[in-house]
Amino acid sequence: MSKRKLTRQQQFRIDKVQQERLSRVQKKDQFIEQKIESGSLGPAQNGLIVAHFGATIDVEASTGELVRCHVRSNLPALVTGDQVIWHSDTQNDERGIISAVQDRRTILTRPDARGKLRPVAANIDRIVIVVAPAPRTPVNLIDRYLVATAHDDILPVILLNKYDLIDQAPEMQLELQQYEALGYQTLIASIKDPDGLKSIQALVAEGNSVFVGQSGVGKSSIIAELLPEAEIRIGEISEATGKGRHTTTTAKLYHIPSGGQLIDSPGIREFGLWHTNPEDLARGFPDVDQYAAHCKFNDCTHTHEPNCGVKVAIADGKILQRRLDSFLSIRNSVDEVVMRN
């Protein structure tokens, strides 16, 4: 499908926005260059990005002090969790300038509203997928998260929270066992139980963790227990819809008193997957991928072809039908977006 031609007025508005953006970048660069030329910048220091506020970024110095920093325009998009090189402004102790970013171990990405892939957080060691009986987390959504983590090559952990409400969706306990059988790490806990909180603390005791999951599953409540001093707002469940309200607005890094670091990112209802490829889908469905190698046709869709290794595995009880249904649903949703682009 050919792209719709822009009107002269629309093109004028786009050009104006681009010119204004370029002007802001040039002014910022001039400001930074003036600081450099005047010798008002201190020596290079290592720092950790703990929060991002658009034009400025909060960097944690090696001393633990927080410094609000500008960023040189030649750097890639920086995110919470990035290790950076920064310089203090000797004329303003509370300000600094980031001059470089160090190599990332991992990068968590997410498509924006336009489908463009953008980084969310860096140097993540695990993604804790929080699920709950109320509001009930559908297995298809869990599968989408697993495919997304496969794309970013970050360890996923499935955490069944609110276990005290398991009677509202008792089948979730079996589902968790099925994910364990596939090799995924799982954890059952309720923060209302002291032992449950200790289990979560042990899980995130080292490295950087990110909690993801649909609204209302208890991400903010867990973080509030892990970080009692951090004043995390907890969203109440809407009585009208049964769904939680989003309570976070920007990714922020916290040091957990019991050990480890946690990045709290805005809640999301669904993880967009149009940035994935067949390799990501295969890694997110190792059970389907294993038996797809036995299909008669290399391009088998696992829907109607004869001698389909996946269909045979389902008949033999080696693959769950719901897993194939989820695989096909995710694959079709990815294909639909690719066709529209």
Side-chain angles (χ1 to χ4, degrees):
M1 182 182 296
S2 60
K3 293 184 178 180
R4 184 170 60 89
K5 188 175 181 180
L6 297 175
T7 65
R8 186 174 300 178
Q9 186 177 11
Q10 288 173 328
Q11 187 62 54
F12 173 78
R13 287 200 297 265
I14 292 174
D15 291 341
K16 183 178 180 181
V17 170
Q18 291 176 338
Q19 290 172 359
E20 291 175 348
R21 184 179 297 116
L22 178 60
S23 176
R24 289 195 298 270
V25 170
Q26 290 174 338
K27 288 181 180 179
K28 184 177 71 172
D29 283 349
Q30 290 174 359
F31 168 76
I32 293 175
E33 291 303 322
Q34 289 173 359
K35 290 288 183 181
I36 295 174
E37 292 176 2
S38 65
S40 62
L41 294 183
Q45 303 179 57
N46 292 323
L48 171 67
I49 294 181
V50 296
H52 198 302
F53 301 101
T56 58
I57 290 175
D58 274 359
V59 172
E60 183 182 271
S62 56
T63 59
E65 174 188 16
L66 290 184
V67 181
R68 185 65 55 88
C69 291
H70 290 282
V71 184
R72 300 195 71 162
S73 61
N74 61 338
L75 297 182
L78 301 181
V79 292
T80 301
D82 266 325
Q83 297 282 349
V84 296
I85 304 298
W86 68 284
H87 305 259
S88 62
D89 185 346
T90 57
Q91 297 177 348
N92 187 339
D93 293 338
E94 297 179 353
R95 293 282 177 170
I97 291 174
I98 297 174
S99 61
V101 58
Q102 300 186 31
D103 292 340
R104 294 161 168 165
R105 299 194 310 275
T106 57
I107 181 70
L108 175 62
T109 56
R110 177 184 170 196
D112 60 18
R114 299 181 179 179
K116 184 178 180 181
L117 199 62
R118 64 181 181 87
V120 177
N123 300 315
I124 301 303
D125 296 287
R126 70 188 59 80
I127 295 179
V128 183
I129 303 169
V130 184
V131 302
R136 168 69 158 99
T137 304
V139 288
N140 179 263
L141 180 58
I142 299 174
D143 291 336
R144 293 179 74 88
Y145 277 117
L146 294 175
V147 173
T149 59
H151 173 84
D152 293 319
D153 198 23
I154 302 175
L155 173 70
V157 180
I158 304 173
L159 167 60
L160 175 56
N161 189 35
K162 299 185 180 181
Y163 189 64
D164 52 307
L165 302 177
I166 193 64
D167 59 335
Q168 297 189 32
E171 69 280 3
M172 291 192 72
Q173 197 158 0
L174 174 61
E175 292 168 0
L176 214 65
Q177 294 172 356
Q178 293 168 344
Y179 283 115
E180 281 184 349
L182 293 174
Y184 292 106
Q185 182 179 352
T186 66
L187 179 65
I188 297 177
S190 173
I191 58 172
K192 294 183 179 180
D193 177 4
D195 290 336
L197 177 59
K198 289 179 181 178
S199 297
I200 298 174
Q201 288 175 329
L203 173 66
V204 299
E206 295 183 2
N208 295 333
S209 302
V210 168
F211 281 62
V212 299
Q214 66 183 147
S215 293
V217 295
K219 298 187 302 295
S220 294
S221 298
I222 291 173
I223 295 171
E225 291 293 330
L226 292 173
L227 305 164
E229 310 263 331
E231 297 183 359
I232 304 297
R233 290 191 299 119
I234 300 175
E236 296 179 354
I237 300 296
S238 168
E239 294 182 0
T241 65
K243 297 179 179 179
R245 302 184 181 96
H246 297 310
T247 58
T248 49
T249 57
T250 186
K252 187 172 181 180
L253 185 144
Y254 299 91
H255 296 283
I256 305 172
S258 57
Q261 297 177 140
L262 186 148
I263 294 179
D264 183 30
S265 58
I268 51 178
R269 294 268 168 87
E270 184 178 348
F271 219 103
L273 293 176
W274 49 88
H275 62 300
T276 61
N277 53 48
E279 289 74 21
D280 299 328
L281 193 56
R283 291 173 63 192
F285 286 88
D287 44 346
V288 176
D289 185 56
Q290 177 183 354
Y291 292 98
H294 301 295
C295 292
K296 179 179 180 180
F297 302 104
N298 291 334
D299 59 349
C300 183
T301 63
H302 317 312
T303 56
H304 62 279
E305 295 87 350
N307 300 321
C308 171
V310 173
K311 289 287 190 180
V312 171
I314 288 177
D316 293 341
K318 297 176 181 178
I319 299 178
L320 297 172
Q321 180 64 50
R322 73 160 182 84
R323 284 282 288 173
L324 177 59
D325 294 341
S326 184
F327 173 88
L328 297 176
S329 173
I330 294 174
R331 186 184 66 187
N332 292 340
S333 67
V334 172
D335 290 344
E336 288 174 4
V337 174
V338 171
M339 291 176 63
R340 288 201 299 268
N341 290 343

